[in-house]
Amino acid sequence: MGSTLSMISKYTYDEFIKLGANKDTFDAVRQIPEVSFALDKGGMIAGGICRSILLGKTTADVVKDFSDIDIFFENSLHLKDYMSSELIMRTGYRNSRSGICDEFLAQWFTAKRPSEIKIQIIKKLFNSPEHTLLNFDFTNVRIAVTKDLVYIDDKWFQVEQEKLLDVKICHSPLLGNRIRKYLNDRDLVDLTEESREIVTTWVIKAVSDSWDDNPFIMSSESKNEFKKLFSNFSARSGLKRHITDTRVFSSSDLIFLINKFVKNVVINYDTWETKSMDVVIEEIKDRKNGKEAAKSPSATSTDPGNIIAW
């Protein structure tokens, strides 16, 4: 697939349903009091929950996927009015670990049964629904719902039909884990070709722990907190899990990870003598020798839990 410029199109609710969205799930999400109130206050819901709706998933599917609802605002006054309202104050919301959002559990009905779903209120303000979506990491989640309209990336239909994950931005240490989730748990089978260069850039950023371009980090304080809590652990976790996954890392990507992941291997069970083995070098050798690398992290012969060095 060649490189294309992202374009966002607008649809009415009726048009959204005709495109394949599950009306019952769409209605159930919008009827959650905290969501309905956000839409009335000028907010929007966007991301994975909207993808699930457009894919036709039921409320039971949403619960099974452990989905959450992300709410965004364009206007600081609207956000302030929303957060200071009695309805939201009663939720007992708390600041997320990353400092990027406030979050709480909301009640909703799935198959006529009460259930809970996490709602996250993103603190970063964006100029418009289009601007919001263009800051999302995957084309696959570039869908937003306002009070009256639905916004969808034009490329969404193609990549979803081909069951491909289209990576657009690499500004978060969480990207590796998000790629793993969408390839393993969200019915997608591979990356688009134009995602490869972005993944390579992410590997370099992960190795150097460079995330200052993350648009969701708004202050030096939140930036330091974000890096302290997430950068090293999340980036390393995402890197480790993809070492043997040829869908994600090419052999040229792996070169940046040499000497980053080492584990001890027993070479003499009588004396329990061990030696250090560079997991990445072994994987490069396997690929060079024509051995089939694991297509799924769950099938990998490399146990990330035993890797002892960064």
Side-chain angles (χ1 to χ4, degrees), residues 265-283:
V265 178
V266 177
I267 58 175
N268 188 324
Y269 283 94
D270 292 328
T271 63
W272 288 99
E273 179 184 359
T274 63
K275 73 171 184 178
S276 295
M277 182 187 76
D278 189 310
V279 174
V280 174
I281 290 178
E282 293 302 311
E283 172 62 18

Side-chain angles (χ1 to χ4, degrees), residues 253-272:
D253 291 331
L254 294 180
I255 292 173
F256 296 105
L257 304 179
I258 292 175
N259 295 327
K260 300 299 183 182
F261 297 100
V262 179
K263 76 177 196 176
N264 286 331
V265 178
V266 177
I267 58 175
N268 188 324
Y269 283 94
D270 292 328
T271 63
W272 288 99

Side-chain angles (χ1 to χ4, degrees), residues 1 12 59 69 72 119 137 146 165 234 240 269 274 289 307:
M1 299 172 62
T12 65
T59 54
I69 300 174
F72 297 79
I119 293 183
D137 52 5
T146 66
L165 181 64
S234 295
K240 282 190 297 185
Y269 283 94
T274 63
N289 293 333
I307 296 176

Side-chain angles (χ1 to χ4, degrees), residues 20-37:
N22 186 309
K23 185 179 185 302
D24 291 339
T25 306
F26 190 38
D27 290 343
V29 168
R30 289 184 297 117
Q31 287 168 5
I32 297 171
E34 294 85 354
V35 173
S36 176
F37 185 52

Side-chain angles (χ1 to χ4, degrees), residues 1 13 21 32 53 60 62 77 79 119 173 205 220 267 285 298:
M1 299 172 62
Y13 281 5
I32 297 171
I53 293 170
V62 171
L77 291 178
L79 174 59
I119 293 183
K205 289 168 66 68
S220 58
I267 58 175
K285 287 179 181 178
S298 62

